[in-house]
Amino acid sequence: INIPGVMIVIVGTLGACMASQSLSVMIGLPKAILKAFMGGKGHDSAATVDLFVTMADKARREGLLALEGDVGNIHDEFTRKGVQLMIDGTDPELLREIMEIEASSMKHRHEGNFAALEFMGGIAPTIGVLGAVMGLMSVMSHLDEPEKIGPGIATAFVATFYGVFTANVLFLPLGMKLKNNSKHEMHALNVIIEGLMSIQSGENPRIVREKLEGFLTPKERQKKDDGGAESRQEAA
């Protein structure tokens, strides 16, 4: 444990990141890191498919205005906004454009967070080398004391270890996790956008299900099939 080495790497890396990133990114970064550690609440694409099939059936039988009473029960803000715009009679092309802009804005915010972590992962080893150089400078000032040279060099290189360790064990993996989370989020938003378009065009609920289930992984489809079979057995 070398407190000066830790301070050089952590403070130096954060300082370099603050110099390279916008203030809004730095303010939101702790929340993004906590979300990466804890795992944020993501979209359940399988549940989203069921929701849109149900709405498609109701809209086909009673019209889009019949969905007005269901808007308040939609917990996801992105989905709720899209459904409300659809009920308000927004032109299909305009509706898609609005929702895609919203999704693009969300993606841009995500990119700022994992780009900052990737930058920190790239700069931390260099800051560690700088810490090692500073330590070696101190060692060089005591060349007249041979017994201190070995321990001094070892202590100096601890900063390099801290830099490489934090980069490859913390910053880069967290950045990759946030990047993967963003990809899954964008995939889920595409499910919602296609669901809105299908309902607005008046497609058959079966067609809506077939189209949206194409976004699901085989595991998610199997889970849905198993859940549906259990429900039918309970009903019987």
Side-chain angles (χ1 to χ4, degrees):
I1 298 176
N2 185 285
I3 299 302
V6 172
M7 295 300 294
I8 288 172
V9 171
I10 299 301
V11 176
T13 300
L14 288 175
C17 189
M18 290 177 66
S20 68
Q21 304 295 324
S22 66
L23 180 61
S24 60
V25 170
M26 294 305 300
I27 292 175
L29 192 57
K31 182 178 179 181
I33 292 175
L34 181 63
K35 184 177 180 181
F37 268 118
M38 305 299 294
K41 183 180 179 182
H43 287 86
D44 185 347
S45 295
T48 300
V49 171
D50 290 336
L51 172 64
F52 277 103
V53 170
T54 300
M55 288 194 297
D57 182 59
K58 186 173 184 178
R60 190 175 175 85
R61 288 186 289 105
E62 305 174 29
L64 288 176
L65 291 178
L67 302 177
E68 187 80 49
D70 299 331
V71 174
N73 298 325
I74 301 175
H75 301 293
D76 178 62
E77 184 177 351
F78 185 84
T79 306
R80 185 168 61 250
K81 178 179 180 178
V83 173
Q84 187 62 62
L85 287 170
M86 180 178 64
I87 294 172
D88 291 342
T90 307
D91 181 77
E93 291 186 6
L94 180 58
L95 175 59
R96 177 182 287 275
E97 183 177 353
I98 291 173
M99 301 310 292
E100 287 181 347
I101 290 174
E102 185 82 13
S104 178
S105 177
M106 188 179 298
K107 182 180 179 182
H108 179 72
R109 293 194 299 270
H110 292 172
E111 287 176 346
N113 290 327
F114 62 71
L117 286 170
E118 288 177 346
F119 175 83
M120 293 170 70
I123 201 69
T126 303
I127 300 295
V129 171
L130 290 176
V133 171
M134 293 172 64
L136 289 175
M137 291 168 61
S138 176
V139 171
M140 296 295 286
S141 66
H142 294 88
L143 289 179
D144 56 336
E145 301 176 78
E147 70 278 2
K148 293 184 179 180
I149 294 178
I153 292 176
T155 301
F157 278 105
V158 168
T160 302
F161 165 75
Y162 288 149
V164 174
F165 179 85
T166 55
N168 293 281
V169 177
L170 290 177
F171 300 138
L172 292 178
L174 285 174
M176 181 58 68
K177 185 170 184 179
L178 287 180
K179 181 181 290 187
N180 289 332
N181 287 349
S182 178
K183 289 181 180 179
H184 293 314
E185 185 84 0
M186 292 304 105
H187 181 80
L189 297 187
N190 286 332
V191 176
I192 295 170
I193 293 173
E194 290 303 323
L196 291 170
M197 295 298 100
S198 296
I199 293 176
Q200 193 170 41
S201 62
E203 293 179 0
N204 186 291
R206 292 193 186 90
I207 300 300
V208 175
R209 180 177 293 280
E210 290 296 327
K211 178 187 292 185
L212 298 186
E213 284 188 348
F215 287 94
L216 302 182
T217 64
K219 184 177 181 180
E220 288 175 322
R221 296 184 197 180
Q222 182 63 39
K223 184 177 180 181
K224 279 176 55 62
D225 293 341
D226 292 344
E230 291 178 2
S231 298
R232 289 191 293 272
Q233 290 177 359
E234 290 175 359

